[in-house]
Amino acid sequence: MANQQEKKIKASNAKTITYFAVAIVFSFLVYGVGRYLTDKDHTTLDMAGLGTTVVIELLFMLFLITSASGDALVDITKDGFHSYYCDMIMLATATLTLAAFSSYAWGIYLVIPGFLGYKIVTLILSWTRTQRSMQEGLESLQKRNGRKEKRAKVRTVRR
């Protein structure tokens, strides 16, 4: 039974990696054809964006391929940080495709620091809320224990 599940996950991983590889090649083709047809000169922003896209796509594809081919069986579309890797590849592919038509598309990469800021703020807020709830839980537990002790004393006196 486990072997069938492992085979399904491995097949799903291979299929996902193939889809991403096709999407990456397609986005580079669209970018190249779009830039050629519009006769736009490559600005410094375009070169920096293109370099960023290449690094992001190669790095995260490498992460996905090594995760999928490792000893530990990981479903790369669902487990842990792997879904973030997939999101980064999709973001880079979409940005590159849109950048074929407008240099302003490179601004989509500003989503990354925004998301990181959001995750950091939610991490800090959840930590402070956890600390408060733990303190409140301790206080209520101490009150409850105090009441039990008073009840125990009252019961022993009455008997």
Side-chain angles (χ1 to χ4, degrees):
M1 197 68 125
N3 289 335
Q4 291 177 353
Q5 185 67 18
E6 289 177 9
K7 288 179 183 178
K8 287 180 183 178
I9 291 174
K10 286 182 181 181
S12 172
N13 288 347
K15 192 175 177 182
T16 302
I17 289 172
T18 304
Y19 285 150
F20 282 138
V22 168
I24 290 169
V25 169
F26 177 75
S27 66
F28 277 106
L29 287 174
V30 168
Y31 181 77
V33 170
R35 284 296 173 164
Y36 177 75
L37 291 177
T38 57
D39 289 331
K40 290 186 179 179
D41 291 332
H42 290 287
T43 63
T44 306
L45 177 65
D46 290 329
M47 288 293 118
L50 185 60
T52 303
T53 302
V54 169
V55 168
I56 287 173
E57 289 181 345
L58 290 178
L59 183 68
F60 287 105
M61 277 299 284
L62 179 67
F63 286 155
L64 286 178
I65 291 170
T66 55
S67 297
S69 63
D71 292 335
L73 185 64
V74 176
D75 188 357
I76 61 175
T77 58
K78 297 179 184 172
D79 296 338
F81 283 107
H82 300 92
S83 61
Y84 292 131
Y85 299 161
C86 295
D87 292 342
M88 287 298 296
I89 292 170
M90 288 185 277
L91 179 72
T93 303
T95 302
L96 186 63
T97 304
L98 293 173
F101 308 107
S102 173
S103 293
Y104 293 110
W106 299 116
I108 295 173
Y109 280 132
L110 294 175
V111 168
I112 297 169
F115 180 74
L116 289 175
Y118 165 76
K119 287 303 254 186
I120 290 170
V121 167
T122 56
L123 180 69
I124 291 170
L125 289 178
S126 68
W127 181 74
T128 57
R129 289 179 185 156
T130 303
Q131 293 295 325
R132 281 192 212 137
S133 65
M134 286 177 55
Q135 289 174 351
E136 291 170 359
L138 282 174
E139 290 172 2
S140 67
L141 186 62
Q142 288 173 348
K143 286 180 184 179
R144 192 177 311 142
N145 286 340
R147 288 184 207 141
K148 286 182 182 179
E149 288 175 6
K150 287 181 184 178
R151 289 180 189 160
K153 287 180 184 178
V154 170
R155 289 182 185 159
T156 56
V157 172
R158 288 184 183 173
R159 289 186 181 180

